Amino acid sequence: MNKIFFILISVAVMISANEYQAGQSIKPIILNDQFGATHKIARIPRTIIITFEKEPSDILNEYLSKQSEGYLEQNNAIYIADISQMPAFVTKSFALPKMKEYKYKVLLITDENEGALYPYQEGQITIIKMENDRIRSISFTDKSSQLNEMIEK
C-alpha cells in the first residue's frame, strides 16, 4: 500500500514539475488556430491567456467580444484554448464553428501533453506575463472585471 502511495505521489510531482513556472522561458509555440492555419510563435508575446474549460472560455470570449478588433495584438497578447480534453465530435460539430465567428485568433492545444506544460487551476483563466523572454508572473482569474487590468498591464 505504501509503495502505491509513493508511486502516485512521485507521478504527481513529475507531472507538476513539467508545468511552466515563473523565471522559466517558454519554448516556441506552434499551434493551429480555429481556421486550421498553423502559427509558429518564436518570440513569445508579453501576455499569454489560456483557457482549459468551457466556463472560463465563455468568460474570456464574452470579454474579448466587447473589445475593439486587434485588441490582443495591441496588447501584445495571444489567446490559447486547450481543447485536448474535448471529444472530437464536440470540437468539430460545435466548438470550432462557434470559434470561427470570433473576431480574434484562438490558438488551439489539441495534444494533452502540450496542455500539461501550462499552469492550470480549475475554473480559472490562466494569465502568463512575460518579461525578457522569461515568465514574470502567472495569475488566475474567473472574473471578467479583472481581465482588463491583467491583460493591459
Side-chain angles (χ1 to χ4, degrees), residues 16 30 41 45 63 79 91 117 124 138-139 144 146:
S16 66
I30 303 172
I41 302 170
Y63 172 82
Y79 172 20
T91 300
L117 294 173
Q124 302 286 307
I138 300 168
S139 52
S144 179
Q146 295 177 333

Side-chain angles (χ1 to χ4, degrees), residues 1-148:
M1 185 70 160
N2 285 341
K3 193 175 194 179
I4 293 172
F5 180 73
F6 177 75
I7 291 170
L8 290 175
I9 294 296
S10 297
V11 169
V13 168
M14 287 187 328
I15 290 170
S16 66
N18 292 333
E19 199 174 88
Y20 287 125
Q21 298 177 14
Q24 289 183 315
S25 294
I26 292 180
K27 67 179 182 144
I29 298 170
I30 303 172
L31 295 172
N32 290 341
D33 65 19
Q34 70 265 43
F35 299 102
T38 301
H39 298 270
K40 181 176 181 181
I41 302 170
R43 178 97 174 132
I44 305 299
R46 182 177 52 117
T47 305
I48 302 171
I49 309 160
I50 308 169
T51 58
F52 296 86
E53 303 165 325
K54 184 179 182 336
E55 293 78 17
S57 295
D58 289 345
I59 292 167
L60 180 61
N61 291 318
E62 182 180 332
Y63 172 82
L64 290 174
S65 71
K66 296 176 184 175
Q67 307 308 313
S68 61
E69 193 166 337
Y71 174 78
L72 291 172
E73 293 82 3
Q74 292 165 6
N75 287 286
N76 194 15
I78 58 172
Y79 172 20
I80 300 174
D82 183 343
I83 61 170
S84 64
Q85 301 300 314
M86 189 180 295
F89 172 77
V90 174
T91 300
K92 291 177 184 172
S93 299
F94 302 103
L96 285 177
K98 182 178 179 182
M99 287 180 192
K100 288 178 180 178
E101 296 174 5
Y102 298 157
K103 61 183 179 184
Y104 45 88
K105 184 179 357 179
V106 182
L107 301 179
L108 304 173
I109 294 175
T110 56
D111 177 348
E112 64 186 51
N113 293 323
E114 180 77 18
L117 294 173
Y118 296 95
Y120 161 80
Q121 285 185 3
E122 186 175 343
Q124 302 286 307
I125 300 165
T126 302
I127 308 285
I128 299 174
K129 294 301 239 178
M130 302 294 293
E131 188 174 286
N132 298 324
D133 295 325
R134 296 211 173 273
I135 297 173
R136 183 184 78 209
S137 67
I138 300 168
S139 52
F140 304 91
T141 188
D142 62 355
K143 309 263 185 290
S144 179
S145 60
Q146 295 177 333
L147 288 171
N148 187 54

